[in-house]
């Protein structure tokens, strides 16, 4: 298959994925789009929202449309790292001998739903760090590779809810996107009620298998980005770094820490996926702008002043997008 | 054409158009900036007394700003890459063109390159440079036009200037104009009377420099007056030195007397007298008698006109009365040796009841009498001049007539050179020269030279005598040149005084009479008398024209004087005759009064005229000594109060 056919296939698959998910998920277009972009870019997604908005349903639906292995971990305060990663257990062999055997944890799957991730303690949360970044697990002194593709789709309740532990910054940074799930509109709610309270249950088909998905992920990385667009992404990231020459005014006022380079990587990758989904062969400023909030919102650490004033990272990103010009002198020039 | 070429071509066309559009926008922006500069400057000019050249400069700056704006706008060339980015942004092409251009030239996958370029070319095809960069008036143009309209409107608003400033400007202009006039006057003087002495030349150059300074520098009134006073003092000092020479004094006095300077020589004058006598006949009356005769004739003419205008024409009694008067007048004329043929004809016409003819003859006779009177007067003046003309060398030197003396010396030299000089003639010449030694001694070395000549003649040394006479003539020439210089200096001094007056009074040069001219007894009439042409245009005072200016004795029946006048007893209305002689009323007496516009002096006098005059003179003297009177007026004030003493 040549590149053109690959691109056509990409769009077809994307459209099919959207269509299949739409059979179950009502509304939440931006959330579905964001989740799919992250999946196609090979990134992890953190879905945040109050209980009952369909976060888990979305992930479960996604696991159904993708012909991939799926595990769900329900995070609770007493959950231990070994419960996630697996542990060595004494097992009796056929010959009657007893030996240690590694029992894989639920992390060993293509698609892992980390439900209510912030209900676990930071120690347990940190168990996922290596898996998410290196796509490998070190247990019992042995590094075990996770099978590609590997995604963590985590859901969490808003931080200030009872019985939640805020995710550490390092953990947050591993998420490609943080998507905030909001309440449905009236029409959407009506449709949700209709679908869930009546007898018929949607029949969901598998759309993508593992190989195709990996192929699409490779295609995404080939999408060219013009220098000035790349430069825009760089300037956006630099604008979030407080107390620097490149910082936006609002950054200096309300941020303690800005985005990591990983944020820039995510901006470009997400932009590439978005470009392909829109039938383009190049990344545009609009692509970068469209994915900026989901990419950067969990990478920015607010200072006390921002928290005191109730300023959110979304507001800061919106201001930075206004402040940073699209066409400007190259940062490196 | 490849897709890439198509993209580049489209972008280049758009870039050219954008460049022009930017130039146009720059022009308007420049115009706005320039307009604002001009508007603000004009506003300031209308309120504050900044120089007018600043407004001109602001106008030029505005024009320059527009041009500079246009140049700056159109200067920068837009590259294809920049244009691609601009078009991407403007046409929402999602960075297709810029990415395609960049990827087409850089390393990367051929497949992706082709995809990008083809996609971009497809979009580039739809681009139209005209629609992409339309030539429309930018927003800034409206503001520029508003500002220009405001500036144009502001142009009609009269500028506010304080009275002090207006006066200051008028002063400066007056000073500059006066400076120009002074320079021009000096230039004319230099042409008319080229100075012989270096000091005079320098003095005149100083005046010329002063004039240039006044015309070019911006001086205050006091500074200008100070500078003029300095130069005036210097020239006065030099003139004082020159005036110490008795010969110059004498020559100057002679020049000031009527017919002195540039007077014709005796022979020519005699010839003119003879010609006038021939024209005049042999009347023995004076011009005054003729004037009286003329007035009588006028009275008869008026009486005849009045009688003819009455209802029913002239009565027999009127005729008789007029005829009688005319006969008396005719007799009087005959006694004066004058022929009045028209008078006789008029009497005959009156007798024949031909009133029109009578009046016509009377008119003709009046005109004849007028001409005769003028001729008589002219003859009288020439005779007076002739009387003053020295008859021999001694008298000529005594009367300060160096030109005549030079002529006489020339004649003597010629006679000495001629072979047929009789001893009697020689003796006569010796006595004439010897007689002239004494008056000649007042002319520097002239007396000495004449003495030498007399001695040489007595000893029969004709060449020596001729030589001495020539040296005497040369000495006179030198003195004449000195006098010429003195006159030039005097003229310059007049000019300086006039400049001083013009600047101190704030009047223009033309409005200021030459100080002292036309007001003193025996002086020359100044501008403002009659309908004199502008004397600055080459009609300056010239001595030999004085007699033409003198209009005393000329009767203008059509312009009868109204009010108090001393032009003749008969012309005054009885009601206007003063009842008291000026200055002769005594304390307690009625003070004659006339009503003046805005001023009414009425009442009884409390002090004697003499006392009042003495007190006024004392006050004037005090004011003069304390320098309360402006320098330019000091002379006039002093003269006025000196006249009161007389």
């Amino acid at each position: 298959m040549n590149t053109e056919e690959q691109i056509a296939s990409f769009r077809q698959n994307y459209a099919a994925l959207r269509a299949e998910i739409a059979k179950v998920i009502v509304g939440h277009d931006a959330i579905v789009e964001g989740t799919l972009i992250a999946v196609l870019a090979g990134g992890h997604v953190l879905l945040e929202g109050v209980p009952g908005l369909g976060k888990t349903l979305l992930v479960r639906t996604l696991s159904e449309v993708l012909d991939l292995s799926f595990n769900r971990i329900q995070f609770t305060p007493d959950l231990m790292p070994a419960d996630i990663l697996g542990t060595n257990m004494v097992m009796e062999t056929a010959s009657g001998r007893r030996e240690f055997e590694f029992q894989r944890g639920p992390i060993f799957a293509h698609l892992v739903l980390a439900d209510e991730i912030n209900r676990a303690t930071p120690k347990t949360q940190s168990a996922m760090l290596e898996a998410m970044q290196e796509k490998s697990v070190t247990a019992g002194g042995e590094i075990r590779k996770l099978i590609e593709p590997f995604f963590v789709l985590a859901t969490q309740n808003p931080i200030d809810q009872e019985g939640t532990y805020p995710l550490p910054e390092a953990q947050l940074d591993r998420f490609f996107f943080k998507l905030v799930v909001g309440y449905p509109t009236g029409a959407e709610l009506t449709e949700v009620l209709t679908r869930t309270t009546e007898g018929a249950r949607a029949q969901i088909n598998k759309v993508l298998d593992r190989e195709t998905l990996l192929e699409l992920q490779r295609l995404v990385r080939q999408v060219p980005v013009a220098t000035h667009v790349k430069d825009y992404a760089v300037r956006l990231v630099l604008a979030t770094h407080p107390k620097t020459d490149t910082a936006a005014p609002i950054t200096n006022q309300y941020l303690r820490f800005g985005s990591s380079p990983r944020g820039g990587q995510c901006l470009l990758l997400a932009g590439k996926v978005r470009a392909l989904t829109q039938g383009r062969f190049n990344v545009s400023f609009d692509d970068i702008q469209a994915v900026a909030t989901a990419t950067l919102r969990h990478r920015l650490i607010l200072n006390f002043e921002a928290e005191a004033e109730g300023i959110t990272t979304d507001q800061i990103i919106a201001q930075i997008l206004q402040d940073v010009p699209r066409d400007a002198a190259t940062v490196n020039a | 054409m490849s897709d890439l070429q198509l993209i580049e071509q489209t972008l280049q066309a758009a870039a050219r158009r954008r460049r022009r559009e930017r130039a146009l926008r720059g022009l308007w922006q420049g115009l706005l900036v320039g307009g604002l500069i001009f508007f603000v400057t004009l506003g300031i000019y209308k309120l504050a007394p900044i120089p007018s050249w600043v407004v001109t400069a602001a106008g030029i700056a505005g024009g320059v700003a527009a041009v500079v704006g246009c140049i700056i706008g159109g200067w920068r060339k837009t590259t294809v890459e920049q244009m691609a980015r601009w078009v991407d942004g403007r046409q929402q092409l999602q960075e297709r063109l810029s990415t395609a251009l960049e990827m087409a030239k850089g390393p990367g996958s051929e497949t992706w390159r082709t995809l990008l370029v083809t996609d971009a070319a497809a979009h580039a095809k739809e681009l139209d440079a005209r629609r992409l960069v339309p030539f429309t008036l930018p927003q800034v143009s409206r503001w520029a036009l508003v500002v220009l309209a405001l500036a144009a409107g502001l142009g009609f608003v009269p500028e506010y200037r304080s009275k002090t400033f207006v006066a200051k400007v008028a002063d400066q202009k007056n000073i500059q104009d006066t400076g120009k006039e002074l320079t021009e006057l000096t230039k004319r003087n230099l042409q008319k009377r080229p100075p012989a002495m270096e000091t005079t030349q320098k003095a005149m150059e100083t005046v010329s420099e002063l004039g240039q300074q006044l015309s070019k520098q911006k001086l205050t009134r006091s500074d200008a007056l100070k500078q003029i006073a300095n130069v005036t003092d210097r020239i006065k000092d030099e003139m004082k030195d020159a005036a110490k020479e008795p010969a110059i004094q004498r020559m100057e006095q002679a020049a000031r007397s009527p017919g002195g300077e540039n007077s014709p020589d005796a022979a020519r004058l005699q010839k003119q007298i003879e010609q006038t006598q021939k024209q005049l006949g042999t009347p023995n009356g004076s011009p005054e008698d003729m004037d009286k005769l003329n007035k009588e004739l006028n009275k008869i003419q008026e009486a005849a006109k009045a009688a003819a205008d009455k209802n029913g024409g002239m009565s027999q009694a009127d005729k008789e009365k007029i005829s009688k008067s005319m006969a008396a007048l005719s007799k009087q004329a005959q006694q004066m040796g004058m022929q009045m043929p028209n008078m006789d004809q008029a009497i005959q016409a009156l007798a024949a009841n031909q009133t029109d003819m009578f009046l016509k003859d009377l008119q003709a006779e009046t005109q004849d009498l007028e001409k005769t009177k003028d001729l008589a007067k002219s003859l009288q003046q020439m005779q007076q001049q002739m009387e003053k003309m020295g008859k021999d060398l001694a008298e000529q030197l005594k009367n300060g007539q160096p030109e005549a003396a030079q002529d006489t010396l020339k004649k003597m030299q010629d006679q000495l050179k001629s072979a047929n000089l009789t001893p009697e003639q020689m003796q006569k010449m010796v006595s004439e020269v010897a007689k002239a030694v004494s008056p000649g001694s007042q002319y520097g070395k002239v007396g000495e030279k004449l003495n030498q000549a007399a001695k040489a003649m007595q000893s029969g040394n004709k060449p020596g005598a001729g030589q001495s006479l020539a040296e005497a003539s040369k000495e006179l020439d030198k003195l004449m040149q000195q006098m010429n210089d003195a006159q030039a200096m005097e003229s310059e001094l007049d000019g300086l005084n006039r400049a001083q007056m013009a600047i101190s009074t704030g009047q223009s040069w033309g409005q200021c009479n030459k100080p002292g001219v036309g007001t003193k007894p025996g002086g020359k009439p100044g501008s403002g008398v009659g309908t004199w042409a502008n004397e600055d245009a080459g009609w300056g005072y010239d001595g030999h024209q004085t007699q033409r200016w003198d209009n005393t004795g000329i009767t203008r029946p059509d312009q009868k004087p109204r009010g108090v006048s001393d032009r003749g007893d008969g012309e005054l209305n009885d009601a206007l005759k003063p009842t008291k002689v000026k200055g002769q009323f005594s304390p307690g007496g009625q003070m004659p009064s006339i009503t003046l516009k805005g001023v009414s002096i009425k009442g009884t006098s409390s002090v004697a005229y003499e006392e009042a005059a003495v007190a006024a003179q004392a006050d004037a003297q005090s004011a003069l000594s304390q320098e309360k009177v402006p320098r330019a007026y000091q002379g006039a004030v002093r003269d006025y109060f000196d006249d009161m003493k007389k």
Side-chain angles (χ1 to χ4, degrees):
Chain A
M1 205 189 306
N2 63 21
T3 313
E4 213 165 343
E5 286 167 347
Q6 279 181 320
I7 293 163
S9 161
F10 184 97
R11 293 194 68 193
Q12 265 180 355
N13 284 319
Y14 178 76
L17 281 171
R18 289 294 300 262
E20 286 303 314
I21 292 169
K23 286 179 184 173
V24 179
I25 304 296
V26 180
H28 294 310
D29 287 343
I31 302 299
V32 174
E33 187 191 1
T35 309
L36 287 178
I37 286 173
V39 167
L40 290 166
H44 313 291
V45 180
L46 176 63
L47 293 160
E48 185 180 280
V50 290
L53 291 179
K55 302 185 292 290
T56 312
L57 181 65
L58 169 66
V59 179
R60 220 179 52 226
T61 311
L62 192 66
S63 71
E64 285 174 24
V65 295
L66 298 173
D67 191 11
L68 300 170
S69 58
F70 171 72
N71 276 333
R72 173 175 175 166
I73 309 167
Q74 188 64 47
F75 280 64
T76 53
D78 58 349
L79 190 73
M80 297 303 286
D83 297 335
I84 300 168
L85 303 175
T87 184
N88 283 323
M89 292 183 76
V90 181
M91 299 292 283
E92 201 173 299
T93 59
S95 60
R97 277 186 66 196
R98 287 182 183 171
E99 54 185 34
F100 281 105
E101 190 180 316
F102 182 74
Q103 287 294 313
R104 292 181 172 193
I107 196 83
F108 286 90
H110 290 117
L111 191 62
V112 176
L113 167 59
D115 206 12
E116 298 192 89
I117 193 170
N118 61 338
R119 291 210 179 273
T121 56
K123 180 185 173 186
T124 311
Q125 288 169 3
S126 302
M128 309 222 7
L129 280 174
E130 188 188 357
M132 287 171 77
Q133 182 58 37
E134 310 298 332
K135 294 186 177 163
S136 62
V137 170
T138 307
E142 198 179 330
I143 298 170
R144 294 168 211 281
K145 274 285 198 190
L146 297 174
I147 344 148
E148 291 272 8
F150 172 73
F151 311 106
V152 174
L153 300 176
T155 66
Q156 73 166 6
N157 296 318
I159 302 299
D160 50 355
Q161 277 216 333
E162 201 67 34
T164 58
Y165 298 92
L167 290 176
E169 283 80 16
Q171 174 78 348
L172 280 172
D173 197 33
R174 260 90 180 155
F175 284 103
F176 190 87
F177 274 172
K178 177 184 174 182
L179 302 169
V180 178
V181 185
Y183 290 106
T185 61
E188 285 169 355
L189 186 59
T190 308
E191 182 63 26
V192 168
L193 295 180
T194 308
R195 285 190 195 179
T196 52
T197 56
E198 289 172 11
R201 193 174 183 279
Q203 182 65 43
I204 296 174
N205 302 312
K206 299 277 182 196
V207 177
L208 277 179
D209 57 11
R210 179 178 169 265
E211 281 71 30
T212 314
L213 184 60
L214 287 172
E215 203 174 297
L216 293 182
Q217 284 180 350
R218 278 194 294 274
L219 179 72
V220 164
R221 289 177 180 266
Q222 290 173 28
V223 175
V225 187
T227 315
H228 55 283
V229 178
K230 212 179 284 176
D231 186 63
Y232 179 59
V234 172
R235 280 187 282 117
L236 279 181
V237 172
L238 291 178
T240 65
H241 295 170
K243 310 289 181 284
T244 59
D245 293 343
T246 52
I250 195 165
T251 304
N252 287 329
Q253 194 179 355
Y254 293 122
L255 288 187
R256 197 145 55 94
F257 298 108
S259 166
S260 64
R262 204 178 273 130
Q265 292 168 357
C266 295
L267 272 178
L268 282 190
L269 274 174
K272 287 180 177 191
V273 178
R274 189 174 182 271
L276 283 177
T277 59
Q278 297 209 342
R280 274 184 282 112
F281 309 112
N282 64 292
V283 182
S284 70
F285 291 124
D286 285 351
D287 294 330
I288 303 293
Q289 262 197 347
V291 298
T293 309
T295 310
L296 298 175
R297 60 159 61 111
H298 53 292
R299 293 186 162 92
L300 306 182
I301 311 299
L302 298 170
N303 62 14
F304 175 77
E305 192 182 345
E307 282 173 7
E309 289 182 23
I311 302 289
T312 62
T313 51
D314 284 13
Q315 288 170 323
I316 292 169
I317 293 164
Q319 187 59 48
I320 287 172
L321 287 172
Q322 273 187 17
D323 289 350
V324 176
R326 289 179 165 200
D327 222 353
T330 313
V331 175
N332 298 325
Chain B
M1 189 193 298
S2 70
D3 285 343
L4 185 63
Q5 282 174 330
L6 176 80
I7 295 169
E8 284 180 340
Q9 209 173 42
T10 309
L11 290 173
Q12 278 165 357
R16 280 195 297 274
R17 205 168 162 82
R18 187 156 181 246
R19 195 178 178 189
R20 279 181 228 134
E21 190 262 346
R22 274 206 303 238
L24 193 67
R25 187 186 296 272
L27 178 80
W28 282 109
Q29 283 171 343
L31 210 58
L32 177 64
V33 172
L36 280 171
I37 292 169
F38 181 67
F39 180 70
V40 170
T41 314
L42 192 61
I44 293 169
Y45 175 73
K46 294 284 175 183
L47 292 172
I50 56 169
S52 57
W53 66 261
V54 176
V55 180
T56 315
I60 293 167
V64 170
V67 175
V68 168
C70 182
I71 291 169
I72 290 173
W75 186 265
R76 193 160 49 88
K77 263 188 174 179
T78 312
T79 60
V80 176
E81 286 76 19
Q82 285 170 333
M83 198 62 203
R85 284 166 74 169
W86 185 79
V87 174
D88 277 340
R90 199 174 174 88
Q91 296 296 102
Q92 308 284 318
L93 293 181
Q94 303 291 323
E95 283 62 61
R96 280 187 172 89
L97 297 177
S98 52
T99 310
L101 275 180
E102 187 182 327
M103 295 303 156
K105 288 166 187 172
S109 162
E110 184 60 41
T111 318
W112 279 98
R113 189 180 299 151
T114 313
L115 281 171
L116 283 167
V117 171
T118 311
D119 181 42
H123 284 86
K125 266 182 202 167
E126 291 167 11
L127 293 176
D128 179 9
R130 285 182 194 170
R131 274 193 295 175
L132 195 64
V133 191
F135 286 153
T136 50
L137 284 178
Q139 184 84 16
V140 71
S141 67
R142 291 177 207 166
W143 287 109
L145 289 172
V146 167
V147 169
L148 288 175
L150 284 173
L154 192 60
F156 291 101
V157 176
E159 56 261 28
Y160 166 76
R161 293 290 181 267
S162 66
K163 282 179 182 172
T164 320
F165 177 77
V166 172
K168 197 177 161 192
V169 169
D171 260 4
Q172 278 184 352
K173 192 177 180 307
N174 191 29
I175 289 168
Q176 285 178 341
D177 289 348
T178 306
K180 281 178 195 162
E181 295 289 350
L182 201 58
T183 313
E184 194 59 32
L185 178 76
T186 310
K187 200 174 159 190
R188 281 204 305 269
N189 280 340
L190 279 167
Q191 282 173 352
K192 195 176 167 185
R193 299 190 184 96
M197 292 189 295
E198 200 182 337
T199 49
T200 315
Q201 177 78 30
K202 273 186 183 169
M204 291 180 85
E205 279 170 6
T206 312
V207 176
S208 181
E209 278 168 19
L210 173 69
Q212 281 172 2
Q213 262 185 346
L214 293 179
S215 61
K216 283 175 186 169
Q217 289 178 3
K218 284 188 175 176
L219 297 170
T220 59
R221 186 189 282 202
S222 59
D223 286 344
L225 286 173
K226 205 182 277 178
Q227 290 198 9
I228 293 173
N230 286 341
V231 177
T232 308
D233 288 347
R234 207 186 304 165
I235 290 181
K236 270 183 182 170
D237 289 346
E238 284 174 17
M239 279 184 71
K240 267 182 198 168
D241 293 343
K244 281 174 188 167
E245 189 79 39
I248 302 289
Q249 281 177 355
R250 180 164 292 279
M251 281 159 73
E252 204 174 4
Q253 278 171 6
R256 279 180 184 168
S257 66
E261 196 192 6
N262 298 327
S263 58
D265 58 45
R268 212 164 70 213
L269 201 58
Q270 187 58 43
K271 205 174 175 184
Q272 280 179 357
I273 290 168
E274 282 167 9
Q275 276 177 353
T276 313
Q277 275 176 339
K278 205 174 173 184
Q279 278 181 328
L280 197 60
T282 53
N284 50 16
S286 66
E288 287 75 26
D289 294 336
M290 288 182 193
D291 197 29
K292 215 175 251 178
L293 210 61
N294 198 15
K295 280 177 185 167
E296 291 293 324
L297 192 59
N298 279 332
K299 274 182 187 174
I300 293 167
Q301 202 176 353
E302 278 174 26
K305 268 185 190 169
D309 290 344
K310 274 199 298 190
N311 282 341
M314 220 179 270
S315 65
Q316 193 58 37
D318 289 337
K319 280 182 190 172
E320 280 175 16
K321 196 180 169 187
I322 291 167
S323 182
K324 214 173 179 178
S325 301
M326 286 173 72
L329 200 65
S330 181
K331 197 177 172 185
Q332 207 177 334
Q334 278 173 0
Q335 282 172 359
M336 286 166 68
M338 288 171 65
Q339 295 300 318
M340 295 178 88
N342 289 323
M343 183 75 99
D344 298 336
Q345 284 176 8
I347 292 168
Q348 284 170 13
L350 186 65
N353 264 344
Q354 293 172 331
T355 314
D356 289 345
M357 185 61 80
F358 162 71
L359 289 172
K360 211 173 174 182
D361 290 339
L362 214 54
Q363 180 68 30
E365 189 53 55
T366 310
Q367 284 170 357
D368 284 352
L369 201 58
E370 191 78 30
K371 279 180 193 168
T372 312
K373 189 191 80 180
D374 287 348
L375 279 172
K377 193 168 184 184
S378 176
L379 182 65
Q380 194 182 33
Q381 280 176 351
M382 282 191 284
Q383 280 169 342
Q384 281 172 355
Q385 212 174 330
M386 192 65 190
E387 279 167 18
K388 285 185 180 174
M389 190 67 79
K391 289 177 184 66
D392 58 8
L393 186 60
E395 276 186 20
Q396 283 162 350
L397 288 173
K398 202 173 176 182
N399 293 345
Q401 294 161 338
E403 279 179 347
Q406 272 188 314
D407 285 348
T408 311
L409 286 170
K410 183 82 178 48
K411 276 179 197 164
M412 285 180 179
Q413 284 173 60
D414 292 345
Q415 280 179 338
L416 284 170
K417 278 177 193 168
S418 67
N420 48 4
L421 183 67
T422 60
E424 290 77 28
Q425 283 175 327
M426 187 67 174
Q427 192 52 46
K428 195 182 168 192
M429 204 186 298
V430 170
S431 64
E432 191 177 345
V433 172
K435 196 177 153 194
V437 169
S438 172
S441 60
Q442 291 178 334
Y443 291 84
K445 291 177 182 172
V446 174
E448 190 186 323
K449 298 290 173 193
L450 289 175
N451 197 20
Q452 284 173 4
K455 281 178 183 168
M457 279 182 218
Q458 278 171 348
S459 61
N461 181 6
K462 283 184 190 176
Q467 179 68 25
S468 297
L469 288 177
E471 282 170 3
S473 178
K474 203 179 264 179
E475 193 65 26
L476 276 176
D477 200 44
K478 196 174 146 192
L479 285 169
M480 278 167 72
Q481 278 186 349
Q482 281 181 6
M483 194 193 142
N484 188 42
D485 280 12
Q487 282 175 340
M489 297 264 267
E490 201 171 345
S491 174
E492 288 298 307
L493 200 60
D494 281 349
L496 285 168
N497 286 336
R498 195 173 173 185
Q500 208 169 30
M501 187 185 280
I503 291 169
S504 58
T505 59
Q507 289 181 315
S508 70
W509 176 271
Q511 281 175 314
C512 293
N513 287 327
K514 288 177 185 176
V517 171
T519 52
K520 287 180 180 176
K524 299 110 188 177
S527 57
V529 179
T531 53
W532 302 104
N534 180 14
E535 62 187 29
D536 296 324
W539 282 83
Y541 164 71
D542 203 354
H544 66 271
Q545 290 182 340
T546 310
Q547 53 192 353
R548 292 192 201 166
W549 292 351
D550 191 358
N551 59 358
T552 49
I554 294 174
T555 311
R556 297 287 299 272
D558 56 321
Q559 291 186 354
K560 281 188 179 178
R562 292 171 189 174
V564 181
S565 168
D566 57 355
R567 293 190 182 184
D569 300 336
E571 306 236 346
L572 268 183
N573 188 315
D574 288 343
L576 291 170
K577 282 179 183 170
T579 51
K580 297 265 183 186
V581 178
K582 192 183 171 188
Q584 295 300 311
F585 48 88
S586 55
Q590 188 66 33
M591 193 173 173
S593 69
I594 51 168
T595 305
L596 298 173
K597 196 179 179 183
V599 181
S600 179
I601 306 164
K602 282 179 181 172
T604 54
S605 59
S606 56
V607 290
Y609 171 76
E610 287 80 6
E611 285 176 36
V614 169
Q617 280 164 359
D619 286 346
Q621 193 54 47
S622 166
L624 285 167
S625 60
Q626 288 174 21
E627 295 196 337
K628 285 181 181 175
V629 181
R631 193 187 287 263
Y633 290 114
Q634 283 176 1
V637 170
R638 195 175 284 116
D639 289 350
Y640 177 78
F641 285 99
D642 286 347
D643 286 347
M644 280 174 78
K645 283 180 191 170
K646 292 170 194 168

